[in-house]
Amino acid sequence: MIIRIETTSDVPIYTQLTNQIIEGIARGDIQYGDSLPSVRAFAADLGVNMHTVNKSYHELEKKGIIKIVPKSGAIISPSKQVTNEMNERIHSEIKPIIAEALVLGVKKEQIQQLIFSIMEEMKER
Amino acid sequence: MAFVVFLIITFFIAVTQIVVPYLVKKTVVFGVTIPEQYINDGTIKKLKKQYAISVALLSIVLLTGYSVWSLTTEPKEEQMAMIGVLMEFGIIFISLSLYIYYHGKVKQLKIQNKWVEHLKQVKVTDLSVRNEDEMLPWYVYLLPIISTLGLMIYTMFNYDILPQQIPTHWGPSGEPDAFTEKTPFSAMQHTFLLLIMQLMFFGVHFATKNSGIKLSASNLAASKNRQLTLRKYSSWFLFFVMLACTILMSFFQLTTIHPEFAAGSVKIILPFAFLIIVLVGSLVFALKVGRSDKGLEGTIEDNIMEVDEDQYWKGGMFYFNKNDPSIFVEKRFGVGWTINFANPIGYLIVLLPLIIILIISML
């Protein structure tokens, strides 16, 4: 899977990494049980600080998407069930974006269409 | 003999210096990052050609001068070696000066034409690229080390039959021409040097393995092919040179223990063969790597380019990037690697063994 980082973007590099890895899993480019490269190798290949990659891995772990196993590295293993806590987090993250869209005058149908098309892009899980 | 050796080496140096602009990574011209979209620009092509012709002409002048001088005045071997080394450094100095000159020119050209201003810089990597890395496994490099350890033990057991005078230097005929008193240390000295050199090579392998596989956003296929080729052939070349050094130095150690071991001609041929093998090996290496990213056209998106790292290359030559954990990075002028000066491990791997070798040879 190809990771692309925009160095001049306002979005911090570690967030770009996290988002792309999550998208990769959703699209099926990375399979459950696959392991991510070691922090050192990943950082060296991208030419970024090791802390950046580390931060992204810890964020993914906190979200319950990967497990960091000492010596074997970071393994893709999303949790089996959606907890209330996860639901709440997704709800609170989606809400301001939908509100923003409505305020800007995007129609309800258009928003629904957008969400459907994004979900089409990702593989059914 | 000295004349032929210097002629071959200098000719080799000249040829490599001439073709360097055509063997480096496509998107780096005289140490300046040029976006994929503009690498076929007419002015850039003209500057590369000018450089190659200038170095070629000056090399021809120097080589002809050296040949005429050596053949007409028949100087002593030492004189010939002295002038030969000067000539080699002369060619390196000339090409380096021209490089600095053209580096400045291309830098100006890039600013004048505003080549990077409208382009978005993108860093890219492939999560599975490490699985395609074909470097030799680390334990292969243990074999020559084990052989050296064996040689050390063998020397210890044969200490009694070693001559009272241990050779420390060999002349061009393969006969020793400098000696030192036999002590347990001087008997082992060469095997120590060999071992430290091998450990350095071992360290270089690990440093290379852990260094980044740098892909380019504007031409994924070409950059991947080049990086993987560079890594694969570097590890082969490293092993090859390590093996050749081991054979050469073990041979001299064994002839010290058993003078009857070698017939006269082998002593002359072996160092010469070593030289030829290393030169040919590096030529094959440079060509393999140099051609690995040519002819692979990427699908160039209009508005992106690979990350412009010019700011990390001091003077277009020295890489200094604190954020990059890589110990080695691909050279910008020449084929091969250079160290990341911001990473202290690089200094340790390259400088420490050299210091130890210097200390041992001065003891």
Side-chain angles (χ1 to χ4, degrees):
Chain A
M1 183 205 162
I2 307 294
I3 301 276
R4 285 174 57 150
I5 301 294
E6 282 174 30
T7 44
T8 45
S9 161
D10 290 336
V11 184
I13 294 178
Y14 78 91
T15 312
Q16 293 186 46
L17 273 180
T18 310
N19 290 347
Q20 289 194 35
I21 291 167
I22 297 175
E23 264 180 50
I25 302 168
R27 253 187 278 115
D29 291 343
I30 323 174
Q31 306 290 325
Y32 289 14
D34 281 0
S35 55
L36 293 173
S38 73
V39 173
R40 172 176 283 279
F42 205 172
D45 291 351
L46 269 179
V48 300
N49 202 301
M50 288 204 280
H51 295 304
T52 311
V53 177
N54 217 357
K55 206 165 168 183
S56 164
Y57 278 16
H58 280 293
E59 198 176 42
L60 286 165
E61 190 184 35
K62 221 173 88 187
K63 283 183 195 282
I65 291 168
I66 64 170
K67 277 205 180 77
I68 296 174
V69 186
K71 280 179 188 166
S72 1
I75 293 161
I76 312 285
S77 57
S79 49
K80 299 281 181 298
Q81 52 205 15
V82 185
T83 61
N84 276 342
E85 196 190 326
M86 287 174 186
N87 259 328
E88 271 166 35
R89 193 183 70 223
I90 290 165
H91 182 90
S92 69
E93 274 173 29
I94 258 181
K95 205 172 178 179
I97 296 166
I98 291 179
E100 187 182 334
L102 288 170
V103 171
L104 289 174
V106 185
K107 296 275 178 312
K108 268 187 181 168
E109 295 77 39
Q110 282 175 302
I111 295 173
Q112 279 173 346
Q113 193 56 48
L114 191 68
I115 292 175
F116 275 125
S117 70
I118 290 172
M119 280 165 52
E120 277 298 298
E121 251 180 65
M122 318 285 175
K123 223 166 117 185
E124 275 293 325
R125 281 277 177 198
Chain B
M1 191 67 183
F3 171 66
V4 177
V5 169
F6 277 103
L7 213 59
I8 292 174
I9 298 178
T10 314
F11 179 74
F12 177 79
I13 293 176
V15 170
T16 47
Q17 294 302 317
I18 293 165
V19 297
V20 162
Y22 300 98
L23 290 182
V24 294
K25 191 177 155 194
K26 279 204 283 200
T27 48
V28 173
V29 181
F30 293 109
V32 181
T33 305
I34 301 294
E36 190 99 18
Q37 289 88 331
Y38 305 110
I39 44 176
N40 289 323
D41 177 85
T43 321
I44 286 182
K45 284 191 168 166
K46 205 180 75 197
L47 293 180
K48 282 187 185 179
K49 214 175 191 171
Q50 277 179 10
Y51 165 90
I53 291 173
S54 315
V55 179
L57 286 178
L58 288 163
S59 303
I60 291 171
V61 169
L62 278 176
L63 277 167
T64 321
Y66 183 67
S67 307
V68 169
W69 172 74
S70 311
L71 296 175
T72 53
T73 61
E74 289 180 6
K76 284 188 204 134
E77 290 254 302
E78 296 89 71
Q79 275 179 318
M80 222 174 328
M82 190 74 168
I83 303 291
V85 170
L86 277 179
M87 170 176 65
E88 286 164 14
F89 277 106
I91 289 179
I92 293 172
F93 181 75
I94 288 167
S95 58
L96 203 63
S97 314
L98 283 167
Y99 165 76
I100 292 168
Y101 172 72
Y102 283 109
H103 174 73
K105 279 215 143 181
V106 175
K107 222 169 162 178
Q108 263 180 357
L109 202 67
K110 182 179 171 183
I111 297 168
Q112 274 168 10
N113 289 327
K114 299 189 172 134
W115 275 335
V116 290
E117 278 179 22
H118 63 285
L119 295 173
K120 199 158 60 180
Q121 297 187 16
V122 176
K123 282 189 180 202
V124 71
T125 186
D126 185 342
L127 284 186
S128 55
V129 74
R130 292 259 159 194
N131 303 335
E132 292 170 58
D133 196 11
E134 288 183 329
M135 288 179 71
L136 289 175
W138 62 272
Y139 49 80
V140 170
Y141 299 86
L142 281 182
L143 298 174
I145 292 180
I146 293 169
S147 141
T148 304
L149 293 176
L151 185 66
M152 288 172 117
I153 294 168
Y154 186 75
T155 306
M156 276 191 267
F157 277 110
N158 288 284
Y159 184 72
D160 292 338
I161 63 164
L162 272 164
Q164 281 311 308
Q165 297 288 310
I166 304 279
T168 53
H169 186 265
W170 287 262
S173 61
E175 294 298 332
D177 57 8
F179 298 88
T180 180
E181 202 66 31
K182 177 162 102 171
T183 62
F185 178 75
S186 70
M188 301 290 284
Q189 197 176 357
H190 289 106
T191 54
F192 278 133
L193 289 179
L194 178 59
L195 188 68
I196 288 161
M197 204 157 72
Q198 289 175 330
L199 291 176
M200 178 172 92
F201 279 24
F202 204 55
V204 166
H205 169 77
F206 277 101
T208 313
K209 184 86 193 163
N210 282 320
S211 293
I213 304 180
K214 302 278 169 58
L215 303 184
S216 152
S218 50
N219 199 337
L220 215 57
S223 57
K224 187 163 155 184
N225 201 31
R226 186 179 177 103
Q227 282 280 290
L228 293 178
T229 310
L230 173 69
R231 293 167 74 91
K232 178 175 157 188
Y233 285 102
S234 298
S235 78
W236 276 96
F237 187 56
L238 190 74
F239 181 64
F240 205 55
V241 173
M242 191 174 174
L243 210 61
C245 287
T246 310
I247 292 171
L248 188 69
M249 292 187 65
S250 304
F251 173 79
F252 279 113
Q253 181 73 7
L254 286 174
T255 48
T256 306
I257 303 173
H258 306 289
E260 71 286 357
F261 182 71
S265 58
V266 184
K267 288 185 203 166
I268 307 175
I269 291 170
L270 204 66
F272 200 64
F274 173 81
L275 176 74
I276 298 290
I277 284 172
V278 171
L279 287 186
V280 170
S282 44
L283 198 68
V284 171
F285 169 73
L287 288 177
K288 282 269 182 201
V289 177
R291 288 169 52 185
S292 61
D293 64 335
K294 309 298 186 295
L296 282 169
E297 296 304 327
T299 45
I300 304 169
E301 292 172 52
D302 291 335
N303 56 347
I304 66 159
M305 66 174 286
E306 66 183 316
V307 176
D308 186 340
E309 293 198 312
D310 289 1
Q311 49 171 322
Y312 301 122
W313 287 86
K314 310 296 173 203
M317 264 182 287
F318 305 103
Y319 186 67
F320 196 99
N321 183 357
K322 265 187 265 178
N323 278 330
D324 187 351
S326 297
I327 299 164
F328 294 140
V329 285
E330 188 177 1
K331 249 189 210 171
R332 284 211 144 180
F333 201 65
V335 180
W337 304 83
T338 180
I339 70 173
N340 178 2
F341 285 91
N343 193 333
I345 303 171
Y347 293 89
L348 206 72
I349 290 172
V350 177
L351 289 181
L352 193 69
L354 290 182
I355 292 169
I356 299 175
I357 287 174
L358 274 179
I359 291 173
I360 289 185
S361 32
M362 277 190 286
L363 276 176

